[in-house]
Amino acid sequence: MFDSSIQARIRPAMARAGQTLARWGCTANGVSFAGFGTGLAAAAAIALSQPLVGLVLLLLSRLMDGLDGAVARATQATERGAFLDITLDFLFYASIPLAFAVAHPAANALPAAVLLASFIGTGSSFLAFAIAAERRQLRSQAFPDKGFYFLGGLTEATETLAAFVAMCLWPQWFGPIAYGFAALCAITTALRIRWGWTSLAPAPTPYSQTPPPP
């Protein structure tokens, strides 16, 4: 919900940082892998009942996730890089609820499972629309820098990160936070299905003046 406005505000600073990293010889794919590795380290720390350590690593991971695109735009953006970025992002998002379930399975396994199921809805609707949008050559005005169509909703990257931060700060409240965010994800999925169904409707057949044959 807030991704487009936040990205517009930080875009100049991220662009400068991306240019600096490119001059230092960093590649966009290298930054993507570094961010993913840091994200997995965050999940490992959470699974070992060190949520504050996980929080620091999690925030560092998301910083690198934003910088990989900036490095790509400073050098050369590729479809392979866009594919890698979104794939690693979804794996990272799944790792955090799983880590909380590993840390305290009796209390957290069910809410983590519900949250992960809700991620299936948001992720599948997001990617399915991106495929259809590419076929129709649609372009997102809200996210012009992305490698493919980004379909928004109530739960985008900003809101997901905020939920993860809250879980790390108050791990004893993981269950209510997970259930609440899963409900928002369900609303996002429903809105995306409605939007996709409406916007991808087939074009009406032009009316013909030719009378039907007798």
Side-chain angles (χ1 to χ4, degrees):
M1 184 168 58
F2 298 111
D3 280 12
S4 60
S5 59
I6 290 176
Q7 290 183 17
R9 295 186 180 208
I10 67 174
R11 187 174 291 122
M14 296 295 284
R16 290 192 295 270
Q19 292 166 1
T20 300
L21 290 174
R23 286 196 299 270
W24 291 349
C26 297
T27 65
N29 292 342
V31 176
S32 293
F33 279 119
F36 178 62
T38 306
L40 291 186
I46 292 169
L48 295 172
S49 299
Q50 298 294 326
L52 295 182
V53 175
L55 173 59
V56 174
L57 294 171
L58 186 154
L59 294 175
L60 181 58
S61 167
R62 293 307 88 194
L63 174 61
M64 286 188 277
D65 179 58
L67 286 172
D68 60 0
V71 173
R73 289 185 289 275
T75 52
Q76 182 177 2
T78 65
E79 292 179 351
R80 182 168 64 175
F83 161 78
L84 178 67
D85 182 36
I86 194 64
T87 301
L88 296 183
D89 278 352
F90 275 84
L91 291 173
F92 161 77
Y93 289 136
S95 72
I96 300 302
L98 177 61
F100 278 99
V102 171
H104 299 286
N108 293 345
L110 181 57
V114 171
L115 183 57
L116 287 171
S118 74
F119 283 176
I120 295 294
T122 55
S124 61
S125 58
F126 174 90
L127 295 175
F129 188 87
I131 294 170
E134 185 66 26
R135 290 178 177 173
R136 293 200 177 192
Q137 298 184 337
L138 303 178
R139 292 294 177 266
S140 172
Q141 299 300 316
F143 302 97
D145 296 334
K146 298 297 185 179
F148 47 87
Y149 199 105
F150 262 56
L151 187 61
L154 290 177
T155 54
E156 299 173 347
T158 301
E159 293 78 19
T160 306
L161 178 58
F164 287 172
V165 169
M167 292 170 183
C168 290
L169 291 176
W170 301 286
Q172 68 275 21
W173 293 101
F174 172 79
I177 295 170
Y179 285 133
F181 195 69
L184 294 178
C185 287
I187 295 173
T188 294
T189 301
L191 291 174
R192 285 176 175 172
I193 291 174
R194 180 179 180 276
W195 169 255
W197 181 263
T198 302
S199 60
L200 298 175
T205 303
Y207 176 73
S208 175
Q209 297 285 341
T210 305

